Short mmCIF file of all heavy atoms in Angstrom, two decimals:
data_model
loop_
_atom_site.label_atom_id
_atom_site.label_comp_id
_atom_site.label_asym_id
_atom_site.label_seq_id
_atom_site.Cartn_x
_atom_site.Cartn_y
_atom_site.Cartn_z
N ARG A 1 -38.36 -231.66 112.74
CA ARG A 1 -37.42 -232.29 113.65
C ARG A 1 -37.89 -232.18 115.10
O ARG A 1 -37.82 -233.14 115.86
CB ARG A 1 -36.04 -231.68 113.48
CG ARG A 1 -34.94 -232.52 114.06
CD ARG A 1 -33.60 -231.96 113.77
NE ARG A 1 -33.60 -230.55 114.16
CZ ARG A 1 -32.76 -229.63 113.71
NH1 ARG A 1 -31.82 -229.96 112.87
NH2 ARG A 1 -32.82 -228.38 114.11
N VAL A 2 -38.36 -231.02 115.49
CA VAL A 2 -38.79 -230.82 116.88
C VAL A 2 -40.07 -231.59 117.17
O VAL A 2 -40.21 -232.24 118.20
CB VAL A 2 -38.98 -229.31 117.18
CG1 VAL A 2 -39.65 -229.11 118.53
CG2 VAL A 2 -37.65 -228.60 117.15
N LEU A 3 -41.01 -231.54 116.24
CA LEU A 3 -42.28 -232.22 116.46
C LEU A 3 -42.23 -233.70 116.11
O LEU A 3 -43.14 -234.45 116.44
CB LEU A 3 -43.40 -231.54 115.66
CG LEU A 3 -43.74 -230.11 116.09
CD1 LEU A 3 -44.78 -229.51 115.18
CD2 LEU A 3 -44.21 -230.09 117.53
N SER A 4 -41.17 -234.11 115.41
CA SER A 4 -41.01 -235.49 114.95
C SER A 4 -42.32 -236.05 114.42
O SER A 4 -42.87 -237.01 114.94
CB SER A 4 -40.43 -236.39 116.03
OG SER A 4 -41.25 -236.41 117.18
N VAL A 5 -42.82 -235.38 113.38
CA VAL A 5 -44.13 -235.70 112.81
C VAL A 5 -44.18 -237.14 112.32
O VAL A 5 -45.12 -237.87 112.59
CB VAL A 5 -44.46 -234.72 111.67
CG1 VAL A 5 -45.74 -235.11 110.98
CG2 VAL A 5 -44.54 -233.30 112.20
N HIS A 6 -43.16 -237.59 111.59
CA HIS A 6 -43.17 -238.94 111.04
C HIS A 6 -41.89 -239.65 111.46
O HIS A 6 -40.82 -239.08 111.45
CB HIS A 6 -43.21 -238.89 109.51
CG HIS A 6 -44.41 -238.19 108.98
ND1 HIS A 6 -45.67 -238.73 109.03
CD2 HIS A 6 -44.56 -236.98 108.40
CE1 HIS A 6 -46.52 -237.90 108.49
NE2 HIS A 6 -45.88 -236.83 108.11
N LYS A 7 -42.05 -240.94 111.79
CA LYS A 7 -40.86 -241.75 112.04
C LYS A 7 -40.26 -242.11 110.71
O LYS A 7 -40.94 -242.22 109.71
CB LYS A 7 -41.24 -243.03 112.78
CG LYS A 7 -41.62 -242.84 114.22
CD LYS A 7 -42.02 -244.15 114.81
CE LYS A 7 -40.85 -244.74 115.54
NZ LYS A 7 -41.21 -246.00 116.20
N GLU A 8 -38.96 -242.31 110.69
CA GLU A 8 -38.32 -242.76 109.47
C GLU A 8 -38.76 -244.17 109.17
O GLU A 8 -39.04 -244.96 110.05
CB GLU A 8 -36.80 -242.70 109.61
CG GLU A 8 -36.27 -241.30 109.77
CD GLU A 8 -34.76 -241.28 109.90
OE1 GLU A 8 -34.11 -242.23 109.41
OE2 GLU A 8 -34.24 -240.33 110.47
N SER A 9 -38.81 -244.51 107.88
CA SER A 9 -39.31 -245.82 107.48
C SER A 9 -38.45 -246.95 108.03
O SER A 9 -38.96 -248.00 108.36
CB SER A 9 -39.42 -245.92 105.96
OG SER A 9 -38.15 -245.82 105.38
N LYS A 10 -37.14 -246.73 108.16
CA LYS A 10 -36.30 -247.81 108.69
C LYS A 10 -36.65 -248.09 110.15
O LYS A 10 -36.57 -249.22 110.60
CB LYS A 10 -34.83 -247.50 108.52
CG LYS A 10 -34.31 -246.35 109.35
CD LYS A 10 -32.83 -246.19 109.17
CE LYS A 10 -32.34 -245.09 110.09
NZ LYS A 10 -30.91 -244.96 110.08
N ASP A 11 -37.06 -247.06 110.90
CA ASP A 11 -37.49 -247.28 112.27
C ASP A 11 -38.78 -248.08 112.30
O ASP A 11 -38.94 -248.97 113.13
CB ASP A 11 -37.68 -245.96 113.01
CG ASP A 11 -36.37 -245.24 113.26
OD1 ASP A 11 -35.31 -245.88 113.21
OD2 ASP A 11 -36.42 -244.01 113.50
N MET A 12 -39.71 -247.78 111.40
CA MET A 12 -40.97 -248.52 111.35
C MET A 12 -40.71 -249.97 110.95
O MET A 12 -41.31 -250.88 111.50
CB MET A 12 -41.93 -247.85 110.36
CG MET A 12 -42.40 -246.49 110.80
SD MET A 12 -43.46 -246.56 112.23
CE MET A 12 -44.96 -247.08 111.45
N GLY A 13 -39.81 -250.18 110.00
CA GLY A 13 -39.47 -251.54 109.61
C GLY A 13 -38.85 -252.31 110.77
O GLY A 13 -39.16 -253.49 111.00
N ARG A 14 -37.98 -251.64 111.50
CA ARG A 14 -37.37 -252.28 112.68
C ARG A 14 -38.44 -252.60 113.71
O ARG A 14 -38.43 -253.69 114.30
CB ARG A 14 -36.32 -251.35 113.28
CG ARG A 14 -35.57 -252.00 114.44
CD ARG A 14 -34.85 -251.02 115.31
NE ARG A 14 -35.87 -250.23 115.99
CZ ARG A 14 -35.76 -248.93 116.26
NH1 ARG A 14 -34.69 -248.27 115.92
NH2 ARG A 14 -36.71 -248.28 116.87
N ASP A 15 -39.37 -251.69 113.92
CA ASP A 15 -40.44 -251.93 114.89
C ASP A 15 -41.30 -253.13 114.49
O ASP A 15 -41.69 -253.93 115.33
CB ASP A 15 -41.31 -250.69 115.05
CG ASP A 15 -40.57 -249.53 115.70
OD1 ASP A 15 -39.47 -249.75 116.26
OD2 ASP A 15 -41.09 -248.40 115.64
N LEU A 16 -41.60 -253.24 113.20
CA LEU A 16 -42.37 -254.39 112.73
C LEU A 16 -41.60 -255.69 112.95
O LEU A 16 -42.18 -256.71 113.35
CB LEU A 16 -42.73 -254.23 111.26
CG LEU A 16 -43.83 -253.22 110.93
CD1 LEU A 16 -43.93 -253.02 109.43
CD2 LEU A 16 -45.16 -253.69 111.50
N ARG A 17 -40.29 -255.67 112.68
CA ARG A 17 -39.50 -256.88 112.89
C ARG A 17 -39.42 -257.24 114.37
O ARG A 17 -39.50 -258.43 114.73
CB ARG A 17 -38.10 -256.70 112.30
CG ARG A 17 -38.11 -256.77 110.78
CD ARG A 17 -36.70 -256.82 110.22
NE ARG A 17 -35.90 -255.67 110.56
CZ ARG A 17 -35.85 -254.53 109.87
NH1 ARG A 17 -36.57 -254.39 108.78
NH2 ARG A 17 -35.08 -253.54 110.26
N VAL A 18 -39.26 -256.26 115.24
CA VAL A 18 -39.23 -256.54 116.68
C VAL A 18 -40.56 -257.14 117.12
O VAL A 18 -40.60 -258.13 117.87
CB VAL A 18 -38.91 -255.25 117.48
CG1 VAL A 18 -39.18 -255.44 118.96
CG2 VAL A 18 -37.47 -254.84 117.26
N GLY A 19 -41.66 -256.58 116.64
CA GLY A 19 -42.97 -257.16 116.95
C GLY A 19 -43.10 -258.57 116.44
O GLY A 19 -43.69 -259.44 117.10
N GLY A 20 -42.53 -258.83 115.27
CA GLY A 20 -42.55 -260.18 114.72
C GLY A 20 -41.79 -261.16 115.59
O GLY A 20 -42.24 -262.28 115.83
N TRP A 21 -40.62 -260.75 116.08
CA TRP A 21 -39.84 -261.64 116.95
C TRP A 21 -40.54 -261.89 118.27
O TRP A 21 -40.51 -263.00 118.80
CB TRP A 21 -38.44 -261.07 117.20
CG TRP A 21 -37.53 -261.25 116.03
CD1 TRP A 21 -37.04 -260.27 115.21
CD2 TRP A 21 -37.03 -262.49 115.51
NE1 TRP A 21 -36.26 -260.83 114.23
CE2 TRP A 21 -36.24 -262.19 114.38
CE3 TRP A 21 -37.18 -263.81 115.88
CZ2 TRP A 21 -35.60 -263.17 113.64
CZ3 TRP A 21 -36.55 -264.79 115.15
CH2 TRP A 21 -35.76 -264.47 114.04
N ILE A 22 -41.19 -260.86 118.81
CA ILE A 22 -41.89 -261.04 120.08
C ILE A 22 -43.05 -262.01 119.92
O ILE A 22 -43.22 -262.94 120.71
CB ILE A 22 -42.38 -259.68 120.62
CG1 ILE A 22 -41.18 -258.84 121.07
CG2 ILE A 22 -43.37 -259.86 121.78
CD1 ILE A 22 -41.51 -257.40 121.40
N THR A 23 -43.86 -261.82 118.87
CA THR A 23 -45.00 -262.72 118.68
C THR A 23 -44.53 -264.12 118.28
O THR A 23 -45.20 -265.10 118.61
CB THR A 23 -45.98 -262.16 117.65
OG1 THR A 23 -45.29 -261.88 116.43
CG2 THR A 23 -46.67 -260.91 118.16
N LEU A 24 -43.39 -264.21 117.60
CA LEU A 24 -42.85 -265.53 117.26
C LEU A 24 -42.47 -266.30 118.53
O LEU A 24 -42.70 -267.50 118.64
CB LEU A 24 -41.62 -265.38 116.36
CG LEU A 24 -40.98 -266.67 115.87
CD1 LEU A 24 -41.93 -267.40 114.94
CD2 LEU A 24 -39.68 -266.36 115.15
N ALA A 25 -41.93 -265.60 119.52
CA ALA A 25 -41.58 -266.25 120.78
C ALA A 25 -42.83 -266.60 121.60
O ALA A 25 -42.82 -267.56 122.37
CB ALA A 25 -40.66 -265.34 121.60
N LEU A 26 -43.90 -265.83 121.43
CA LEU A 26 -45.12 -266.11 122.17
C LEU A 26 -45.81 -267.39 121.73
O LEU A 26 -46.43 -268.08 122.54
CB LEU A 26 -46.11 -264.95 122.02
CG LEU A 26 -45.85 -263.72 122.87
CD1 LEU A 26 -46.78 -262.61 122.48
CD2 LEU A 26 -46.00 -264.05 124.33
N GLY A 27 -45.70 -267.74 120.45
CA GLY A 27 -46.37 -268.92 119.93
C GLY A 27 -46.01 -270.20 120.69
O GLY A 27 -46.89 -270.86 121.27
N PRO A 28 -44.73 -270.59 120.72
CA PRO A 28 -44.37 -271.80 121.48
C PRO A 28 -44.65 -271.67 122.98
O PRO A 28 -45.03 -272.65 123.63
CB PRO A 28 -42.87 -271.95 121.23
CG PRO A 28 -42.60 -271.17 120.00
CD PRO A 28 -43.60 -270.06 119.96
N GLY A 29 -44.49 -270.48 123.52
CA GLY A 29 -44.78 -270.28 124.94
C GLY A 29 -46.24 -270.55 125.26
O GLY A 29 -46.57 -271.19 126.27
N LEU A 30 -47.14 -270.09 124.39
CA LEU A 30 -48.56 -270.34 124.60
C LEU A 30 -48.90 -271.81 124.41
O LEU A 30 -49.78 -272.34 125.09
CB LEU A 30 -49.39 -269.47 123.66
CG LEU A 30 -49.41 -267.98 124.00
CD1 LEU A 30 -50.07 -267.19 122.89
CD2 LEU A 30 -50.11 -267.75 125.32
N ALA A 31 -48.21 -272.48 123.50
CA ALA A 31 -48.44 -273.92 123.30
C ALA A 31 -48.06 -274.69 124.56
O ALA A 31 -48.80 -275.58 125.01
CB ALA A 31 -47.65 -274.41 122.09
N VAL A 32 -46.91 -274.37 125.15
CA VAL A 32 -46.49 -275.04 126.39
C VAL A 32 -47.46 -274.72 127.52
O VAL A 32 -47.84 -275.60 128.31
CB VAL A 32 -45.04 -274.63 126.77
CG1 VAL A 32 -44.67 -275.10 128.16
CG2 VAL A 32 -44.07 -275.15 125.73
N PHE A 33 -47.90 -273.48 127.59
CA PHE A 33 -48.87 -273.08 128.61
C PHE A 33 -50.17 -273.88 128.45
O PHE A 33 -50.75 -274.33 129.44
CB PHE A 33 -49.12 -271.58 128.52
CG PHE A 33 -50.07 -271.05 129.56
CD1 PHE A 33 -49.77 -271.14 130.90
CD2 PHE A 33 -51.26 -270.45 129.18
CE1 PHE A 33 -50.64 -270.66 131.86
CE2 PHE A 33 -52.13 -269.96 130.12
CZ PHE A 33 -51.83 -270.07 131.47
N GLY A 34 -50.62 -274.04 127.22
CA GLY A 34 -51.83 -274.84 126.98
C GLY A 34 -51.64 -276.29 127.37
O GLY A 34 -52.56 -276.92 127.92
N TRP A 35 -50.47 -276.84 127.12
CA TRP A 35 -50.19 -278.22 127.51
C TRP A 35 -50.26 -278.36 129.03
O TRP A 35 -50.85 -279.31 129.54
CB TRP A 35 -48.80 -278.61 126.98
CG TRP A 35 -48.36 -279.98 127.36
CD1 TRP A 35 -48.91 -281.17 126.97
CD2 TRP A 35 -47.29 -280.29 128.24
NE1 TRP A 35 -48.23 -282.20 127.54
CE2 TRP A 35 -47.22 -281.69 128.34
CE3 TRP A 35 -46.37 -279.52 128.95
CZ2 TRP A 35 -46.28 -282.33 129.11
CZ3 TRP A 35 -45.42 -280.16 129.71
CH2 TRP A 35 -45.39 -281.56 129.79
N ILE A 36 -49.69 -277.39 129.74
CA ILE A 36 -49.73 -277.42 131.21
C ILE A 36 -51.16 -277.29 131.71
O ILE A 36 -51.59 -278.00 132.62
CB ILE A 36 -48.83 -276.32 131.80
CG1 ILE A 36 -47.37 -276.64 131.50
CG2 ILE A 36 -49.05 -276.16 133.30
CD1 ILE A 36 -46.41 -275.51 131.81
N LEU A 37 -51.94 -276.38 131.11
CA LEU A 37 -53.35 -276.23 131.51
C LEU A 37 -54.13 -277.50 131.23
O LEU A 37 -55.01 -277.88 132.01
CB LEU A 37 -53.99 -275.06 130.77
CG LEU A 37 -53.64 -273.65 131.23
CD1 LEU A 37 -54.30 -272.63 130.34
CD2 LEU A 37 -54.04 -273.45 132.68
N GLY A 38 -53.81 -278.16 130.12
CA GLY A 38 -54.50 -279.40 129.79
C GLY A 38 -54.24 -280.49 130.81
O GLY A 38 -55.13 -281.28 131.14
N ILE A 39 -53.01 -280.55 131.30
CA ILE A 39 -52.68 -281.54 132.33
C ILE A 39 -53.38 -281.20 133.64
O ILE A 39 -53.95 -282.06 134.32
CB ILE A 39 -51.16 -281.63 132.54
CG1 ILE A 39 -50.50 -282.23 131.30
CG2 ILE A 39 -50.81 -282.43 133.78
CD1 ILE A 39 -49.00 -282.17 131.33
#
């Protein structure tokens, strides 16, 4: 408990989902950025 050697699996699952949502939002943002750079 003091050293918190391992995170609980539900925390890791939540972290993976948060990362998924962040990268999901980056996809369309990068596409719009590329369109602007192309212009």
Side-chain angles (χ1 to χ4, degrees):
R1 197 175 51 201
V2 170
L3 294 177
S4 60
V5 174
H6 301 288
K7 288 178 97 177
E8 294 181 25
S9 64
K10 67 177 184 174
D11 291 341
M12 294 292 282
R14 185 198 67 216
D15 292 347
L16 285 172
R17 286 189 300 273
V18 167
W21 283 111
I22 290 170
T23 55
L24 183 66
L26 281 172
L30 288 171
V32 170
F33 182 62
W35 177 66
I36 292 170
L37 284 177
I39 291 171

